[in-house]
């Protein structure tokens, strides 16, 4: 502040001291530029780890997923669809109840299972199974799915998300770990296990073709 | 008194704020602008202050942890002295703030106040609106109940539709692979540090510009904004027909702000705090998640959009909408301000307001959602429908009830509204049409061909055929009628 103060009167002085002054000022500008450049270098050096920290949650799906057991297959009667619960393999002690995940297990035959995500393929609300009408219904925007997970009606544009499933030592296992959404589960367009009725994998647009 | 003066001059010698503040207070505003129409901006500011104060007070107790948040809110509601009142003030303050900001924006739009030289004031205002909505959404997450949990799921599902980076965006939003502890922590950070910090900075600049550029004059038909002449005209107006801002205009702001605060307090006392609802246990699936009031319209939109339009709509419409709001003052920075000369502006505002109202209203009773326990929980099919029914028709009524038809179709005034009410279905559909509809579905109805035995279908359709008013015959096939006529 005070330095600037005595610069101003100098400007009115004649040639010699003005030349001196010009050099001083341009030297100070240079120093400021060096200062800014140093900040830029340090800034970039700091920003890189900060960004890495910030984006650390972004990982390939495979890193979040692992095989989870849903219990002995005997607990799922053939021909029925039951709610199963498991603890998400990626969890923290401060998650509270939110590390619990539910899914629908449909035992098609002795060794044949379909495991559907609880999350509606529309916008993720929890779908409910109605054994009487053999439909999954979504409470949010009225989506409905058939027993094999294929789309029946409403806003969803596809069938329910299905987990990869396998039977190991008499227990049913699924590949789980992250919330199923269109970005990570869309590739599982068809459930892994052979279906009883092949005609049902078509992603019908509005009304489904005759299935009578 | 002179003691006060001494303290004042001691302070002002150091703060140097007296003169600029005095100038601000004395700057002239047009006489007609000292109107009740201009109180909404200051009311929004007052509400922001209220939210900050009540928010800090709640943060003294609230635990931003997925495992404990819900418990700490219940503690606030039920155990801590007047904790419920603070929660209610913060919740109602939020609703009032969104409402007042929207009204403020509509008024500014209607009065053409976004035109030269106040374009940037409007632009910052648009960001302030977005941040206010951001606060409302992140605030709903702070409640961390079932609705908050599934609301996050909806948010994540929307983000997942973004091409290429959808998956990464979901991970960023949730802080991991699922909605859990990390999710609440980052929403807490947004709600308490990031957005409020930006809001304060933007609010400061927004108000600064209003004070420096002067408040918009009352729009008059024929008084056209031109960049070259506007400033001179405005200063002439305030010089000739103006009054100092303090107290000439600000007293109304003060009165209205007090009224708004009183209204928030009354709502808080009368209606109490919002939630928390059910505990955030994702394995409890008996829930019908619903967003807060100001997001209900979006809920309706998402229910009515055809599946094929949804992703483009979700991704493109917000961008277009925000671009339109931001671009408005640059597209129309000159010209008429008066609503008498801006029919398209009026039409646009009315259309938006009416559609918003209709969608919000629909969102309050969700006619598109099946009533999940209408088949088991409600009154039985009225006896008058069954009095003269044959055993087969009664069997059909049992099928109707047991197969959850009622979750989507009401009968006797009870049931879902997803599908049409069926009290007079027989007058609209023939036997063949009914059978086809049941077996194949269509429209928005699933096909039941695989889920009903032929005998059940027959019984059900027989029952449906009895559903017509006594004085109205049931629909008949043209072919059937012809055959019968031939006899
Ligand atoms: S989330 Fe299921 S229909 Fe929208």
């Amino acid at each position: 502040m005070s330095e600037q103060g005595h610069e101003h009167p100098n400007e009115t002085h004649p040639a010699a001291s003005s030349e001196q002054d010009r050099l001083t000022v341009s030297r100070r500008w240079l120093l400021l530029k060096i200062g800014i450049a140093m900040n830029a270098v340090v800034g970039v050096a700091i920003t890189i780890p900060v960004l890495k920290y910030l984006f650390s949650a972004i990982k390939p799906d495979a890193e979040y997923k692992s095989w989870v057991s849903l219990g002995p297959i005997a607990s799922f009667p053939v021909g029925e669809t039951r709610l199963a619960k498991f603890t998400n393999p990626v969890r923290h002690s401060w998650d509270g109840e939110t590390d619990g995940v539910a899914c629908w297990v449909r035992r098609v035959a002795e060794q044949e299972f379909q495991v559907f995500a609880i999350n509606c393929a529309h916008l993720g609300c929890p779908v409910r199974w109605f054994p009487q009408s053999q439909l999954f219904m979504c409470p949010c925007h009225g989506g409905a799915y058939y027993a094999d997970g294929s789309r029946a009606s409403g806003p969803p544009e596809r069938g329910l998300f299905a987990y990869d499933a396998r039977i190991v030592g008499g227990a049913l296992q699924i590949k789980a770990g992250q919330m199923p959404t269109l970005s990570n589960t869309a590739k599982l367009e068809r459930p892994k296990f052979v279906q009883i009725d092949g005609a049902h994998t078509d992603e019908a647009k509005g009304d489904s073709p005759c299935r009578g | 008194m002179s003691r006060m003066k001494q303290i004042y001059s001691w302070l002002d010698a150091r703060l140097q704020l007296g003169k600029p503040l005095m100038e601000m207070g004395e700057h002239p505003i047009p006489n007609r602008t000292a109107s009740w129409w201009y109180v909404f901006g200051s009311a929004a500011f007052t509400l922001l202050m209220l939210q900050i104060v009540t928010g800090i007070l709640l943060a003294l107790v609230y635990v931003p942890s997925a495992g404990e948040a819900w418990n700490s809110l219940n503690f606030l509601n039920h155990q801590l002295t007047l904790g419920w009142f603070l929660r209610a003030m913060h919740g109602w303050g939020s609703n009032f703030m969104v409402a007042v900001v929207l009204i403020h924006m509509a008024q500014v739009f209607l009065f053409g106040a976004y035109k030269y030289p106040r374009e940037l004031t409007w632009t910052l205002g648009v960001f302030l609106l977005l941040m206010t909505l951001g606060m409302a959404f992140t605030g709903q997450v702070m409640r961390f109940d079932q609705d908050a949990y599934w609301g996050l799921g909806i948010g994540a599902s929307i983000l997942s539709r973004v091409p290429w980076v959808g998956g990464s965006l979901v991970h960023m939003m949730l802080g991991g692979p699922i909605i859990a502890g990390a999710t609440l922590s980052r929403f807490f950070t947004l709600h308490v540090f990031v957005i409020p910090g930006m809001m304060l900075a933007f609010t400061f600049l927004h108000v600064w510009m209003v004070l420096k550029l002067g408040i918009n004059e009352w729009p008059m038909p024929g008084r056209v904004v031109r960049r070259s002449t506007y400033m001179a005209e405005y200063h002439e107006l305030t010089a000739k027909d103006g009054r100092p801002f303090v107290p000439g205009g600000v007293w109304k702001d003060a009165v209205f702000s007090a009224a708004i605060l009183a209204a928030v307090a009354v709502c808080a006392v009368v209606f109490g705090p919002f939630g928390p609802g059910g505990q955030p246990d994702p394995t409890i699936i008996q829930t019908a998640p619903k967003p807060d009031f100001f997001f209900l319209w979006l809920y309706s939109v998402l229910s009515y959009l055809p599946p094929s339009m949804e992703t483009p709509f979700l991704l493109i419409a917000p961008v277009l909408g925000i671009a339109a709001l931001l671009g408005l003052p640059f597209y129309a920075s000159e010209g008429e301000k008066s609503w008498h000369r801006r029919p398209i502006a009026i039409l646009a505002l009315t259309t938006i307001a009416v559609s918003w109202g209709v969608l919000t209203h629909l969102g309050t009773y969700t006619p598109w959602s099946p009533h999940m326990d209408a088949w088991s929980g409600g009154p039985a099919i009225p006896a008058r429908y069954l009095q003269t029914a044959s055993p087969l028709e009664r069997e059909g009524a049992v099928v109707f009830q047991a197969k959850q038809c009622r979750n989507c179709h009401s009968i006797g005034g009870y049931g879902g509204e997803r599908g049409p009410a069926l009290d007079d279905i027989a007058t609209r559909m023939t036997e063949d049409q009914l059978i086809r509809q049941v077996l194949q579905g269509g429209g928005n109805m699933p096909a039941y061909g695989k889920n009903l035995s032929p005998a059940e279908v027959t019984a059900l359709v027989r029952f449906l055929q009895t559903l017509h008013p006594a004085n109205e015959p049931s629909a008949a096939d043209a072919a059937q009628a012809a055959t019968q006529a031939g006899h």
Side-chain angles (χ1 to χ4, degrees), chain A residues 120-127 138-145 154-156, chain B residues 154 302-303 310:
Chain A
C120 182
H122 178 223
L123 292 174
C125 285
V127 295
C138 177
C140 280
H141 318 98
Y145 305 86
Chain B
I154 291 180
L302 294 175
S303 308
E310 193 144 328

Side-chain angles (χ1 to χ4, degrees), chain A residues 77-129:
Chain A
V78 176
E80 285 191 25
T81 300
R82 293 258 170 112
L83 190 70
K85 300 174 183 181
F86 61 93
T87 305
N88 201 60
V90 184
R91 59 178 302 275
H92 302 289
S93 58
W94 57 89
D95 286 340
E97 297 165 311
T98 55
D99 61 8
V101 187
C103 60
W104 290 110
V105 178
R106 177 187 189 219
R107 188 164 186 183
V108 186
E110 259 320 302
Q111 296 290 313
E112 222 178 283
F113 285 87
Q114 282 185 300
V115 184
F116 301 117
I118 201 76
N119 304 90
C120 182
H122 178 223
L123 292 174
C125 285
V127 295
R128 257 183 264 176
W129 169 246

Side-chain angles (χ1 to χ4, degrees), chain B residues 292-315:
Chain B
D292 280 357
F293 182 77
F294 281 106
F295 297 102
L296 281 177
W297 65 275
L298 189 61
Y299 187 34
S300 308
V301 169
L302 294 175
S303 308
Y304 282 120
L305 274 180
S308 57
M309 278 179 53
E310 193 144 328
T311 300
F313 176 87
L314 280 174
L315 302 181

Side-chain angles (χ1 to χ4, degrees), chain B residues 133-478:
Chain B
L133 293 175
M135 287 302 278
F137 183 77
T138 53
Q140 188 189 327
V141 174
M142 291 305 99
R143 214 180 305 142
F144 220 62
D145 53 9
Q146 274 178 334
D147 282 0
Y149 180 90
W150 296 106
L152 283 167
I154 291 180
S157 301
I158 292 177
L159 277 186
S160 79
R161 293 171 179 234
V162 177
W164 304 300
V165 292
S168 307
L169 290 177
V170 173
H171 287 163
M172 273 302 279
M173 173 186 163
L174 302 183
I178 56 167
I179 302 163
T183 317
L184 181 59
S185 296
R186 57 186 52 204
F187 273 82
F188 180 76
T189 309
L190 286 175
H191 188 75
V192 172
F193 298 109
V194 181
I195 307 180
M198 292 199 302
M199 270 183 117
L200 282 177
F202 276 57
T203 305
F204 171 77
L205 290 174
H206 189 77
V207 175
W208 172 262
M209 281 190 284
V210 173
L211 294 172
K212 282 288 157 185
L213 299 172
I215 191 92
N216 188 40
E217 78 284 0
W218 189 270
M220 293 291 216
R223 193 195 281 161
V224 179
V225 178
R226 272 186 215 90
R227 242 169 256 179
S228 46
T229 56
Y230 179 81
M231 286 316 266
E233 283 167 10
Y234 180 79
H235 287 133
E236 195 190 314
L237 176 74
T238 52
K240 259 203 235 138
D241 185 21
R243 62 175 84 169
F245 173 54
V246 180
V250 82
W251 74 265
K252 284 183 174 135
D253 291 302
V255 170
F256 188 72
S257 284
I260 281 281
L261 285 184
V264 173
V266 168
C267 283
V269 171
V270 175
F271 301 109
F274 293 95
Q279 63 202 87
D281 180 346
T283 63
I284 300 176
I285 59 163
Q286 275 69 27
T287 171
K290 228 176 165 182
D292 280 357
F293 182 77
F294 281 106
F295 297 102
L296 281 177
W297 65 275
L298 189 61
Y299 187 34
S300 308
V301 169
L302 294 175
S303 308
Y304 282 120
L305 274 180
S308 57
M309 278 179 53
E310 193 144 328
T311 300
F313 176 87
L314 280 174
L315 302 181
I316 297 169
V319 177
L320 288 184
I322 294 169
L325 285 176
L326 291 177
L328 171 73
F330 302 99
Y331 167 75
S333 72
E334 297 192 311
E336 285 277 359
K337 276 183 179 174
S338 169
W339 51 87
H340 294 289
R341 302 273 170 93
R342 289 165 58 221
I344 294 181
I346 304 289
L347 200 66
L349 191 63
T350 322
T351 313
I352 291 170
V354 170
S355 0
W356 179 82
V358 170
L359 289 169
T360 300
H361 177 66
L362 286 170
T364 55
Y365 69 96
T366 63
W368 52 82
S369 289
H371 292 195
M372 294 297 208
D373 28 56
W375 67 289
S376 57
I381 295 173
R384 64 174 189 279
Y385 286 141
L386 298 169
Q387 252 150 16
T388 58
S390 71
L392 183 60
E393 287 158 2
R394 285 180 191 206
E395 185 60 39
V398 172
V399 173
F400 181 83
Q401 193 78 19
K403 295 293 179 181
Q404 281 113 5
C405 303
R406 226 169 168 187
N407 286 16
C408 295
H409 296 282
S410 80
I411 193 167
Y414 184 80
E417 294 158 281
R418 172 102 194 144
L422 296 183
D423 298 270
D424 55 357
I425 185 65
T427 63
R428 281 178 282 132
M429 289 176 99
T430 67
E431 182 180 5
D432 287 356
Q433 288 170 326
L434 283 169
I435 293 174
R436 187 178 341 110
Q437 184 67 28
V438 169
L439 292 182
Q440 300 175 10
N444 243 326
M445 180 170 155
Y448 284 80
K450 278 174 36 105
N451 310 338
L452 296 176
S453 70
E456 284 172 324
V457 175
T458 312
L460 177 62
V461 169
R462 279 296 159 77
F463 166 65
L464 293 175
Q465 282 185 285
T466 66
L467 297 177
H468 57 87
N471 52 357
E472 234 180 293
S474 42
D477 256 334

